[in-house]
Amino acid sequence: MKAESLPGWSAVLLLSALLLQFPLAWWKTAAVTVPLFGEVAGVDFSVLALLGLGPVLCFLPTLLRMGGRDLLFRLFLLLAGIGMVVLLLQQVSFGWNSGHFLNGLFYFVFPLAGLVLAREIRRRLPCFLLVLFLASAAISLRELAAGLPATGLAGNWNWNWTLLVISIPSLAFFLPARFRLAVGFLLAFGLAGGQFLLIPHYASRGTLFSTFCAAVLLGGAALLHRHRQWRMPVAVATVLTAAVLGCTVYLSLRSGYPADRLPQENRLMVWQGAIALGEERLLLGVGPSRFEGEIAPYLPVSYFDSDFAADRHPHPHNELLFYWCGFGLFGIVWGILTLAAGFRGMIRRRRGDELILPVAWCWAVLLLHGQLDVLLATPLAGGLFALLTGVLLAVGVRRVRAVPPAWSRFAPAALLWGGALVLFGVNFAGGWYCRSGKLALLDGDPATARRDLERSVEIRPTAENLYTLSGVELFDFQDPRPAAATLAGIPAECRLSSYSHSFGRMARALAASGQPEAALPYFEAEQKNFPRSAVNLRLWQSVLEHLGRREEAGRLEERWLELMTRKGLRPEEFPYLLRNQILDDSPLELRTFLEELRK
């Protein structure tokens, strides 16, 4: 491969990698369903970080010479470097974990890769979007024909509709140039609105909202492009309005006022908890990968009374809040800079520039939907958004001729790409055995499940395979000591303080293995994470009874009886919760179960 062709091939590599988020999802083009395909991760954020770092290292001199005196460009490069320092400080503070470091590195490296490869990505984006649309549409049609939600390559029907909306305009590139813009928008709006007619129960309001607002943003950017004299007044007015609106929203969410008025909109309560976490870890944040292990104690109790309460919270359903919690104060600055880079690129785009328009469209839709959902926490959507941020920052920036990389820079880049390939294989193999173990559990074969899950942990320990394996050891084999040792790997190996009900499982494992005193702190921590857990409260009380601490046990029993009444259960119905954790977590699932039970 000639050095001159390296940028083009790098762009193809980065875009293609995004499509391998869930490799088994591609099997859905031939089969209607692929059970648990999402358990087998391929390209995650750590793989993308290594892939993106390759072209950044190869073309570092070109990157440093780009932009001239462009202030925003220089500021972006400077803050990307500071962000990497913040990541190192987090590793010192929380303990080293290479996966966490690479996941955080993605947020700074991948936009830089988009910046240095901007021209090549713009040229290849329509083909990428066409492949994305054809694959997602083919899978979605098969799923809809089978009466299933259309999850496509994304693995979630909500995110899938947005990926379809950003990619369907690629069909317009087959038409004459004068029709492409109008047809592209008609296709996008037709799909965003038509989903409510096609399958109303699984239609995405976030997709409709982001489609409409993205079109408004593009229209506003076109006006500002034509009327340069409006740019400064509009920019000042926008900044002031955003500051006032942002402070108002922040203070109202912090107080819990919106959540109290809309008790079933649990997204508001997650935002309230994320704000509390961000304020607590203002300096360095908790790191993007550690958010899930830290957020639970900060969620308001009212969250656990909402119909959609869950046991895991990997993302606050708002990307700006995620930046804040992930990187502290610096994350707020980085989020604002990301917005500025994208909006400036939309305004600077040349009229009739057909290649930059899909970039602006995809970026705007993903940005807006990412403020309401977990979409940008997925490698496919999040990786595309980060790449396009760099592409938009490059619009109007002084270009310099790319310097072919010297061997001294190409060799490390090649090693990084090789490392990314190895990490992809590790992800795939570990995920394959984790999936196999879960399928064996569903088939009622715990012995095979345990064997496969142990293989998954040997390949790469993750919070998910450790947590699942501990459940098999504790509940299926009634072997609490190995279960406790497995659960200890979540903080030791994964650097997560908790994961789902890991505190509760650890407490039960320690109590069952003859260490009741050691179990008590875990019962307490579990109750802080899940204040409406009747199961944990009852088991905690029984351990205190066993230890002879009857006064404390009596107080817990009173709390347990009150909680059972709140759940609409009689004490003799407690075993239903004990057998099915979901009934203890979800008021909606419990209500549905009781309606069926008491018919």
Side-chain angles (χ1 to χ4, degrees):
M1 181 175 65
K2 295 182 179 179
E4 291 76 10
S5 64
L6 183 60
W9 283 109
S10 298
V12 171
L13 175 64
L14 295 184
L15 290 171
S16 300
L18 298 179
L19 298 173
L20 294 177
Q21 168 184 266
F22 298 128
L24 296 190
W26 287 90
W27 283 11
K28 296 199 292 181
T29 57
V32 177
T33 60
V34 180
L36 302 182
F37 72 90
E39 297 295 332
V40 185
V43 172
D44 61 6
F45 286 124
S46 58
V47 173
L48 291 180
L50 292 175
L51 291 176
L53 194 55
V56 171
L57 286 181
C58 275
F59 298 103
L60 188 59
T62 302
L63 183 64
L64 296 176
R65 288 165 48 227
M66 286 175 64
R69 297 182 179 180
D70 189 298
L71 178 61
L72 184 61
F73 181 92
R74 294 297 179 187
L75 188 60
F76 198 89
L77 292 185
L78 174 64
L79 289 184
I82 294 175
M84 297 177 195
V85 174
V86 170
L87 283 175
L88 291 173
L89 293 175
Q90 287 180 343
Q91 297 299 308
V92 172
S93 177
F94 305 132
W96 176 261
N97 182 284
S98 58
H100 290 189
F101 178 74
L102 289 175
N103 286 347
L105 189 65
F106 157 83
Y107 290 93
F108 308 110
V109 166
F110 225 58
L112 294 181
L115 180 58
V116 77
L117 300 174
R119 183 176 298 176
E120 290 75 19
I121 291 173
R122 286 170 59 177
R123 290 174 178 172
R124 290 158 179 81
L125 185 64
C127 292
F128 166 81
L129 293 177
L130 181 61
V131 172
L132 175 61
F133 174 74
L134 292 177
S136 299
I139 295 171
S140 298
L141 289 173
R142 290 182 64 89
E143 290 172 327
L144 290 174
L148 301 171
T151 60
L153 292 175
N156 177 285
W157 56 268
N158 211 354
W159 313 334
N160 183 50
W161 285 117
T162 291
L163 293 180
L164 286 169
V165 161
I166 66 172
S167 58
I168 194 172
S170 62
L171 298 177
F173 275 85
F174 290 104
L175 301 176
R178 64 181 182 274
F179 297 126
R180 291 174 184 170
L181 179 61
V183 171
F185 274 111
L186 284 175
L187 289 172
F189 273 92
L191 185 59
Q195 58 170 324
F196 288 90
L197 299 175
L198 185 63
I199 183 166
H201 294 299
Y202 292 101
S204 173
R205 293 174 296 170
T207 299
L208 183 63
F209 166 81
S210 56
T211 301
F212 175 78
C213 292
V216 172
L217 285 178
L218 286 177
L223 284 174
L224 292 177
H225 177 77
R226 288 197 295 269
H227 303 281
R228 298 177 63 90
Q229 70 277 13
W230 293 359
R231 293 185 185 179
M232 185 56 68
V234 170
V236 172
T238 301
V239 169
L240 292 176
T241 302
V244 172
L245 185 61
C247 289
T248 303
V249 171
Y250 164 73
L251 292 174
S252 64
L253 288 173
R254 189 175 186 271
S255 69
Y257 179 84
D260 292 340
R261 299 301 180 274
L262 298 168
Q264 291 306 323
E265 186 50 73
N266 64 346
R267 201 181 272 112
L268 298 171
M269 302 165 203
V270 176
W271 292 347
Q272 183 181 347
I275 287 173
L277 175 60
E279 291 175 342
E280 181 73 19
R281 303 295 182 90
L282 197 59
L283 185 59
L284 289 178
V286 298
S289 300
R290 298 181 73 252
F291 175 86
E292 179 171 2
E294 302 291 331
I295 184 61
Y298 295 91
L299 295 172
V301 176
S302 56
Y303 167 82
F304 299 94
D305 294 325
S306 66
D307 283 348
F308 301 101
D311 63 326
R312 291 185 55 202
H313 317 92
H315 191 275
H317 287 73
N318 182 282
E319 193 69 4
L320 294 178
L321 278 177
F322 189 61
Y323 282 5
W324 179 12
C325 294
F327 303 107
L329 278 175
F330 175 80
I332 299 174
V333 177
W334 184 255
I336 293 172
L337 193 64
T338 297
L339 296 178
F343 288 142
R344 191 185 72 165
M346 291 168 64
I347 294 170
R348 280 186 168 185
R349 66 179 179 85
R350 296 187 301 274
R351 187 176 182 182
D353 188 344
E354 292 185 340
L355 293 179
I356 199 60
L357 192 58
V359 173
W361 169 250
C362 293
W363 184 87
V365 173
L366 292 174
L367 168 72
L368 291 162
H369 197 168
Q371 308 317 309
L372 302 171
D373 209 335
V374 191
L375 177 66
L376 295 183
T378 64
L380 173 52
L384 182 60
F385 176 79
L387 272 183
L388 299 186
T389 299
V391 174
L392 287 172
L393 177 61
V395 175
V397 168
R398 181 175 67 88
R399 301 288 302 179
V400 296
R401 187 183 177 199
V403 179
W407 174 252
S408 59
R409 287 193 304 278
F410 180 76
L415 289 175
L416 287 170
W417 288 328
L421 181 61
V422 171
L423 187 53
F424 174 86
V426 169
N427 289 343
F428 187 89
W432 181 271
Y433 280 113
C434 184
R435 173 180 180 265
S436 177
K438 289 188 173 185
L439 289 175
L441 274 180
L442 293 175
D443 291 336
D445 185 1
T448 300
R450 186 176 191 176
R451 185 187 67 241
D452 288 344
L453 288 167
E454 286 174 344
R455 288 176 180 172
S456 177
V457 170
E458 289 172 3
I459 294 170
R460 185 187 181 191
T462 66
E464 180 62 22
N465 59 23
L466 288 168
Y467 183 76
T468 307
L469 176 59
S470 72
V472 175
E473 293 168 335
L474 182 60
F475 302 125
D476 293 286
F477 286 88
Q478 298 182 356
D479 203 352
R481 290 187 185 277
T486 298
L487 287 165
I490 293 178
E493 299 285 345
C494 306
R495 300 296 181 184
L496 290 176
S497 60
S498 68
Y499 182 82
S500 185
H501 290 282
S502 62
F503 281 148
R505 282 194 183 175
M506 177 64 89
R508 294 163 79 166
L510 291 172
S513 60
Q515 304 175 70
E517 286 285 356
L520 295 180
Y522 290 99
F523 279 123
E524 184 176 2
E526 175 76 357
Q527 205 64 34
K528 287 181 180 178
N529 282 359
F530 299 94
R532 297 301 193 209
S533 175
V535 169
N536 183 72
L537 205 57
R538 187 62 164 175
L539 295 175
W540 187 8
Q541 179 231 333
S542 66
V543 170
L544 287 172
E545 287 275 7
H546 173 75
L547 292 171
R549 296 162 65 168
R550 301 190 181 282
E551 185 177 346
E552 295 173 71
R555 288 197 295 268
L556 289 185
E557 185 174 17
E558 290 177 5
R559 289 173 56 188
W560 177 74
L561 289 171
E562 292 175 3
L563 188 52
M564 290 290 286
T565 302
R566 172 183 285 274
K567 288 176 177 287
L569 289 168
R570 297 184 294 271
E572 59 269 20
E573 293 174 320
F574 175 70
Y576 294 127
L577 302 184
L578 199 58
R579 288 194 292 266
N580 189 345
Q581 183 70 59
I582 295 176
L583 299 181
D584 195 34
D585 290 338
S586 170
L588 177 62
E589 293 289 340
L590 177 59
R591 190 164 59 247
T592 303
F593 172 79
L594 291 178
E595 288 173 359
E596 291 292 324
L597 180 69
R598 295 170 179 171
K599 276 184 178 179

